[in-house]
Amino acid sequence: MRAVVTVIGKDAVGILAKVSTKCAEYNANVIEVTQSVLQDLFAMIMLVDITKLNSDFATMADGLTELGQAMGVKIHTMHEDIFNCMHHI
């Protein structure tokens, strides 16, 4: 099982580090990361393995959302099954 984590907001030092650290707290393994900085806008997509979470998925998603609010960025976490259903034609 995997999840897609997106982060959008004003660029700042440590965004990748803080988000990946929060994932590690839930035992979610970061598989792939792509990020871009366009002028002062930060955008990141992470693919994380959630097969060995130490909590339920909703708890992790809420924790990442709260982290984003504290950092002043928007973090959205979506289970891979939902992502695939939304993008299946």
Side-chain angles (χ1 to χ4, degrees), residues 21-84:
T21 298
K22 181 60 84 173
C23 287
E25 289 176 15
Y26 293 105
N27 205 38
N29 186 36
V30 176
I31 300 169
E32 287 189 52
V33 176
T34 183
Q35 67 176 19
S36 295
V37 179
L38 307 168
Q39 295 183 10
D40 65 344
L41 179 64
F42 179 88
M44 178 172 68
I45 301 171
M46 301 176 87
L47 184 63
V48 296
D49 181 343
I50 57 171
T51 56
K52 297 180 181 177
L53 287 182
N54 56 20
S55 68
D56 62 16
F57 176 76
T59 300
M60 181 189 82
D62 290 346
L64 286 166
T65 298
E66 291 172 10
L67 173 65
Q69 291 170 345
M71 295 170 46
V73 299
K74 174 71 175 163
I75 300 178
H76 186 266
T77 308
M78 185 179 297
H79 196 284
E80 181 183 35
D81 292 343
I82 301 296
F83 183 85
N84 288 335

